[in-house]
Amino acid sequence: MPPGAVLRSSEGDQMRAAWFPAAILAAFALALGLRLAAPGARPMHHDEANQAVKFGELLESGDYRYDPDDHHGPSLYYLTLPAAWLRGQHTLAALDEGTLRGVTAFFGAGLILLLPLMAGGIGRPAAAVAALLIALSPALTYYSRFYIQESVFAFFAAGFLVALGRYAGAGDPRWRRRWAVAAGVFAGLAYATKETSIIVGVAALVAWAAASALVRGGRPRVALGDLLVAAAAALGVAIVFYSSFFRHPAGPLESFLAFATYFQRGVEPAGHAHPPGYYLRILGYTSSGGLVWTEAAILALAVAGGAVAVRRARTSFWPAYLAIYSFAAGLVFSLLTYKTPWNLVPFHAGFAILAGIGVTGLWKAVAPAWGRALLVVALATAVWHLGVQNVRANLTYPADERNPYAYVQTSPDFLRLAERVHQLARVHEDGREMLVKVVAGPYEQWPLPWYLRDMTRVGYWTGAGEAEGLAGTPVVVASQEHASAVEAALGDGYVSEFYGLRPNVLLTVFIDATLWERFLSVPPDRREDLPY
C-alpha cells in the first residue's frame, strides 16, 4: 500500500474515533446551556427556598446539622459551598438563584459525562443519542433547574449504576476492586443526598444480579473482599457527610431513624397522594389550556430499547441491566402512594439511555435506505419537538399552571409581594431593619424567608395569637386562614393588598396607613432608587 494511502487511512480512523467525544461534549454543552439559561425565570419553589435558607446557615456559620424534616441529605449544601465562594458570596443575603440552581444544573447535565463509561456495553451511537435526549428532555431539564436534591441524587445514582456495571464486566481483579470502591463511593454519595436512595440502589442491585444471571446463566461473580471495600467506602462517605465532617456524630444514626418517617409518608402521603399512572401521564401526554406536552418519543424508544434487551438478554449484559433497572425503579416509584413529579428523574434518565439503545436497534432492523431515511426524519422531528417543549417548559411557561412539570409552584404574583415589602422598606426610617411580621402556616410562609433574606427584622408565627403586639407593626403578611384575626388585632389604620402565593392560595399584606401614604408620595420612577 502506498505511504499516502496509509496516512489517509490513519487520518480517517482518527476522525472516526473523534466523533464520539465531540458528540458527548456538544450534548453536555447543550444540556448545560438549557439548564443555566435565565436562572431567575421561575420564582423559587417553597422547597427550593427551604433548602436555600438551610444552605445559608452553613455558608454563614460553617456549621451544619442534619435535619430529616424536608431537607434530606447534606451533600447538596456542601457541594454548593464552592459555587458560592467562587462567586464571592458568603452570606444568605448575598446568594442568588444563579449560584444555587447552577449547582443542580451542573449535576443534571453531568449525567451525560457518565455515558462514555457505558459506551462499551451499549455502543457509542446509543450513548450519543442518549446524551442528546438527556440534554433535551423537558422533565430532566426542568428539575435540574430546581435547587433541590434530585439532579444531584440522580447523578450519584447513575454513577453507582455505572460502577456496578463496570464491576460486572471487569476481568482484572485489580480493576474489579477499583470499580467496587467506586460503586461504594457513589452509593455513599447518593445516600448522603437522599435517604430514599435505597429504592434506586436496590433496583440497581436487582438489575445487576438478574442481568448477570441471564448472560452467564448463574449467580453474579462477587468477591468477599470487593463487597467489604464497597460497603466500607459507602459507609465512610455517608458517615462523613451526615456527621457534618464529624462535628455531629449522631447524624448518621438520625438518617437511619428517618426511614420510619419516609416509610410513613410513602404509604400515608397526606397531600401528595397520586395514582400509579401519575408519572406515566406526566411524561406520556398532558394537555391544558391549548398547550400539549409529551415525552412519548423517549418512552416509545425506551420500549424499543427494552425489546433489544430482551432479544440480546443471553449475550449482552448492559441492555438487560439498564432495562431491568429503569423499569423496576419506575415501577416502584409508581406504586408508592406518595409522589412528587421530580421523583421521576432517576428512572427517566434510565429511559433516555434505553431510548438510545432503541434507536440503534431500530437502525439495524430497518435495512432499506428509504426506511432508514424515514427513521432519520422521524427522529429529527422528535428531537426538534423535545427542544421546543424544553424551551417552552423552562423559559416560556416555567411557572404556568398548564405546565405539567410545575408542581405547587410559587406564582409570579408572589414576586410582586416581595417587591412591595422592599419598596416599603425603602421609604421607612428603619430601612432593611423595618419590622415585618408574617402570620401563616408553615407551608404558607415559604418562600418568603428567601425573598426577604436581606431584611433583618422579619418574624414568623403560625397564629395571630402568638404574634403579640401586632398593632403598630409597619407591615404584616397573613395567610387567608389568619387574615381575619390579624385584621382584628391590627385595628384601623391599615391598608390591605392581596397577592397570589400558589394556585388557589392567597396572602394578605397589611400596610400601616402612614407608611402607605409616605410610599405613595414618592414618584413611581424614583422608588427603585431609594436607599435602604
Side-chain angles (χ1 to χ4, degrees):
M1 181 181 295
V6 174
L7 180 60
R8 286 194 297 272
S9 176
S10 177
E11 291 175 346
D13 291 342
Q14 291 176 1
M15 291 180 64
R16 283 191 292 272
W19 78 266
F20 179 64
I24 292 295
L25 290 176
F28 175 72
L30 175 62
L32 202 57
L34 290 169
R35 285 155 175 77
L36 291 175
R42 177 179 50 78
M44 289 284 273
H45 189 277
H46 60 273
D47 281 355
E48 291 183 279
N50 198 304
Q51 308 299 335
V53 171
K54 186 71 174 176
F55 167 68
E57 297 172 4
L58 171 63
L59 180 65
E60 292 182 346
S61 69
D63 190 34
Y64 163 87
R65 185 156 192 161
Y66 171 65
D67 177 7
D69 188 16
D70 294 323
H71 287 103
H72 294 298
S75 70
L76 175 63
Y77 314 120
Y78 283 107
L79 292 170
T80 308
L81 282 173
W85 293 336
L86 284 171
R87 298 196 67 198
Q89 298 170 345
H90 301 283
T91 64
L92 175 63
L95 289 170
D96 59 25
E97 288 89 345
T99 297
L100 300 175
R101 290 171 171 170
V103 173
T104 55
F106 177 81
F107 279 94
L111 282 170
I112 291 170
L113 301 181
L114 296 173
L115 292 172
L117 294 174
M118 61 180 77
I122 66 175
R124 289 182 173 183
V129 172
L132 181 60
L133 295 177
I134 289 172
L136 291 177
S137 165
L140 296 181
T141 301
Y142 193 87
Y143 299 122
S144 293
R145 295 165 60 87
F146 259 62
Y147 187 66
I148 56 175
Q149 282 80 4
E150 222 59 41
S151 65
V152 180
F153 164 58
F155 177 85
F156 291 139
F160 174 69
L161 188 74
V162 169
L164 199 60
R166 293 297 296 263
Y167 175 83
D172 188 331
R174 291 173 298 179
W175 275 106
R176 288 175 65 81
R177 179 62 55 87
R178 291 166 187 165
W179 284 116
V181 172
V185 170
F186 275 115
L189 288 169
Y191 181 73
T193 305
K194 282 192 77 173
E195 308 86 335
T196 50
S197 60
I198 189 70
I199 295 174
V200 296
V202 169
L205 287 170
V206 168
W208 172 70
S212 297
L214 285 170
V215 173
R216 298 186 177 88
R219 291 181 297 177
R221 294 182 299 120
V222 56
L224 178 60
D226 295 341
L227 181 62
L228 291 176
V229 297
L235 189 62
V237 169
I239 288 174
V240 166
F241 277 99
Y242 277 105
S243 68
S244 306
F245 289 81
F246 307 110
R247 291 187 178 187
H248 301 291
L253 177 60
E254 291 171 350
S255 76
F256 179 76
L257 296 177
F259 276 106
T261 301
Y262 289 113
F263 176 78
Q264 184 175 5
R265 287 183 184 178
V267 296
E268 300 175 7
H272 296 287
H274 297 284
Y278 177 70
Y279 298 119
L280 185 60
R281 180 180 62 80
I282 291 176
L283 295 171
Y285 179 87
T286 58
S287 175
S288 178
L291 297 177
V292 174
W293 310 81
T294 177
E295 296 193 42
I298 293 178
L299 297 181
L301 290 170
V303 171
V308 171
V310 170
R311 191 172 66 249
R312 298 165 54 188
R314 296 292 182 184
T315 58
S316 186
F317 169 82
W318 277 92
Y321 175 48
L322 292 169
I324 297 170
Y325 162 77
S326 302
F327 290 119
L331 179 62
V332 172
F333 277 108
S334 295
L335 291 177
L336 289 174
T337 309
Y338 178 94
K339 294 180 181 69
T340 52
W342 42 82
N343 284 334
L344 63 80
V345 172
F347 65 82
H348 191 46
F351 288 161
I353 300 171
L354 267 183
I357 298 173
V359 168
T360 57
L362 290 172
W363 184 262
K364 293 175 181 177
V366 180
W370 63 267
R372 289 187 170 182
L374 288 176
L375 180 60
V376 168
V377 171
L379 292 173
T381 302
V383 166
W384 172 82
H385 188 237
L386 287 171
V388 169
Q389 289 184 98
N390 193 305
V391 172
R392 191 170 67 186
N394 293 288
L395 300 177
T396 309
Y397 304 105
D400 197 293
E401 290 183 63
R402 295 171 295 176
N403 185 336
Y405 310 113
Y407 185 71
V408 290
Q409 171 59 43
T410 304
S411 169
D413 192 49
F414 178 81
L415 300 181
R416 294 176 52 246
L417 183 157
E419 180 56 27
R420 176 68 85 215
V421 174
H422 283 100
Q423 288 173 340
L424 294 168
R426 290 188 181 99
V427 299
H428 193 275
E429 57 269 20
D430 293 336
R432 282 193 177 92
E433 296 182 357
M434 180 185 76
L435 179 62
V436 179
K437 293 188 176 182
V438 180
V439 182
Y443 291 104
E444 283 74 45
Q445 293 178 1
W446 296 95
L448 206 54
W450 165 256
Y451 284 103
L452 301 185
R453 63 193 182 279
D454 60 336
M455 300 188 66
T456 58
R457 296 179 67 206
V458 182
Y460 297 88
W461 292 268
T462 57
E466 300 172 8
E468 297 180 358
L470 280 175
T473 305
V475 177
V476 180
V477 181
S479 65
Q480 291 302 100
E481 178 186 0
H482 301 291
S484 297
V486 168
E487 185 175 21
L490 289 173
D492 296 331
Y494 277 82
V495 175
S496 59
E497 293 185 325
F498 301 91
Y499 296 92
L501 171 60
R502 291 187 290 273
N504 303 315
V505 180
L506 287 175
L507 294 177
T508 304
V509 179
F510 296 93
I511 306 165
D512 178 83
T514 303
L515 176 61
W516 181 247
E517 291 175 2
R518 191 184 310 166
F519 168 72
L520 292 179
S521 69
V522 178
D525 59 345
R526 291 186 53 204
R527 291 170 184 169
E528 301 300 326
D529 300 327
L530 293 172
Y532 280 100

